[in-house]
Amino acid sequence: MQELQDSSVDLIITSPPYFNIKDYSKNGYQNAQHSESNKEDLGAIDNYKEYINGLLQVWMECHRVLKPNGKLCINVPLMPMLKKQLNTHYNRHIFDLQSDIQQSILESTSFYLLDLYIWNRTNTTKSLMFGSYPYPRNFYAQNTSEFISIYVKDGKPNNKIPKEIKEQSKLTQEEWIEYTKQIWNIPIPNKSDSAFGKHSAIMPEAIPYRLIKLYSFVGDVVLDPFAGSGTTLKVAKELKRNYIGYELYTHYKSVIESKLQANLF
């Protein structure tokens, strides 16, 4: 992100590519190729430690461009790998992205962990985890939740916010109560999202909406280093924030532009 100056961004919201399970050079149904696989695609790395280290380079750049007291919000799921996918031991193994990303960030940067939210996907379409059903001993939890970790860059914020901007940015009492609950009950996107079927991992608009309301003021700069279908950018625009997004696959440029040109609420 060489184009961005040090300490120039107020808030970062992103969902990094999944580890070795989605092909982002394919469409949302994963049945048609739209681009050649990009060698810089971190989601295509098949070595987990290399994947975490690759992401760390991004988080270090996020730290550089964030203002003091700026927030980095990262949304990731658990990644269960079945024996047939990871043939190194008898049972399955879960790659805990949230935990491993957190450890790498806290060990290598001066970010601090501010909060952790759990996204309960209320309309999950995931296949049931049968395990040894209906008999013991290998029942598996249904994978219906994801994590949203909030990191803060150390330092004192600029508190000289004009009163007009503060008033435009304030939350209602209802928003404050709902958004600060640790479990967020939010459905996954459906066909009403313009990127449905075009991108394989669409973030629901409610997630960046809450995060932008909680952690930024009107006119602030919001960044998504893994822009994907452009959901974070769309919501930032709707909430009168400035926005910056990075995306490897130029195929998604039209998808992002379509979202940004959609009618504002």
Side-chain angles (χ1 to χ4, degrees), residues 117-208:
Y117 291 94
I118 297 171
W119 168 26
N120 175 37
R121 301 190 302 253
T122 56
N123 63 333
T124 184
T125 58
K126 295 284 186 181
S127 300
L128 287 174
M129 299 281 190
F130 283 99
S132 59
Y133 173 85
Y135 307 108
R137 291 170 293 216
N138 289 308
F139 279 101
Y140 297 153
Q142 302 304 322
N143 191 20
T144 58
S145 300
E146 298 191 16
F147 299 95
I148 304 165
S149 303
I150 316 298
Y151 300 92
V152 58
K153 180 176 178 178
D154 195 25
K156 187 177 181 180
N158 172 22
N159 289 320
K160 296 179 180 178
I161 309 297
K163 183 177 180 181
E164 178 184 359
I165 296 298
K166 291 178 74 173
E167 288 302 309
Q168 291 177 24
S169 309
K170 71 179 182 181
L171 278 70
T172 65
Q173 184 179 38
E174 291 77 14
E175 287 175 327
W176 165 61
I177 291 172
E178 186 64 23
Y179 297 175
T180 55
K181 291 178 180 176
Q182 198 163 30
I183 297 177
W184 290 358
N185 295 311
I186 297 172
I188 59 176
N190 55 29
K191 291 183 179 180
S192 65
D193 191 298
S194 62
F196 189 87
K198 300 174 183 177
H199 196 282
S200 59
I202 308 171
M203 180 187 289
E205 293 185 13
I207 289 178

Side-chain angles (χ1 to χ4, degrees), residues 27-256:
N27 66 4
Y29 301 108
Q30 297 285 279
N31 61 5
Q33 193 102 13
H34 58 67
S35 307
E36 289 187 13
S37 183
N38 192 306
K39 64 180 181 179
E40 302 295 330
D41 184 352
L42 296 176
I45 296 175
D46 59 8
N47 181 288
Y48 186 65
K49 287 185 179 179
E50 289 181 14
Y51 165 78
I52 293 296
N53 288 334
L55 288 177
L56 179 59
Q57 306 311 306
V58 180
W59 312 137
M60 292 174 75
E61 269 292 271
C62 288
H63 185 275
R64 178 184 68 80
V65 303
L66 269 178
K67 295 177 181 178
N69 199 52
K71 312 303 188 296
L72 166 62
C73 309
I74 304 174
N75 164 225
V76 290
L78 295 173
M79 300 298 297
M81 294 291 177
L82 299 178
K83 181 182 177 183
K84 64 182 180 181
Q85 298 168 310
L86 193 70
N87 193 23
T88 58
H89 54 283
Y90 182 76
N91 215 317
R92 73 170 187 173
H93 175 70
I94 294 178
F95 287 113
D96 188 347
L97 301 191
Q98 191 282 135
S99 177
D100 293 332
I101 288 172
Q102 180 187 126
Q103 184 177 5
S104 72
I105 287 175
L106 298 182
E107 286 181 349
S108 304
T109 73
S110 59
F111 274 121
Y112 289 86
L113 184 63
L114 182 73
D115 261 316
L116 177 66
Y117 291 94
I118 297 171
W119 168 26
N120 175 37
R121 301 190 302 253
T122 56
N123 63 333
T124 184
T125 58
K126 295 284 186 181
S127 300
L128 287 174
M129 299 281 190
F130 283 99
S132 59
Y133 173 85
Y135 307 108
R137 291 170 293 216
N138 289 308
F139 279 101
Y140 297 153
Q142 302 304 322
N143 191 20
T144 58
S145 300
E146 298 191 16
F147 299 95
I148 304 165
S149 303
I150 316 298
Y151 300 92
V152 58
K153 180 176 178 178
D154 195 25
K156 187 177 181 180
N158 172 22
N159 289 320
K160 296 179 180 178
I161 309 297
K163 183 177 180 181
E164 178 184 359
I165 296 298
K166 291 178 74 173
E167 288 302 309
Q168 291 177 24
S169 309
K170 71 179 182 181
L171 278 70
T172 65
Q173 184 179 38
E174 291 77 14
E175 287 175 327
W176 165 61
I177 291 172
E178 186 64 23
Y179 297 175
T180 55
K181 291 178 180 176
Q182 198 163 30
I183 297 177
W184 290 358
N185 295 311
I186 297 172
I188 59 176
N190 55 29
K191 291 183 179 180
S192 65
D193 191 298
S194 62
F196 189 87
K198 300 174 183 177
H199 196 282
S200 59
I202 308 171
M203 180 187 289
E205 293 185 13
I207 289 178
Y209 184 93
R210 294 183 182 205
L211 295 171
I212 290 169
K213 293 280 284 185
L214 285 169
Y215 300 119
S216 72
F217 287 97
V218 166
D220 279 356
V221 176
V222 178
L223 164 68
D224 188 344
F226 298 105
S229 68
T231 302
T232 295
L233 313 183
K234 174 181 184 288
V235 178
K237 181 180 181 180
E238 291 173 345
L239 292 175
K240 297 181 173 58
R241 274 66 165 176
N242 297 296
Y243 52 89
I244 301 168
Y246 286 86
E247 173 54 45
L248 281 178
Y249 291 103
T250 56
H251 172 82
Y252 294 121
K253 183 178 179 181
S254 61
V255 177
I256 294 171

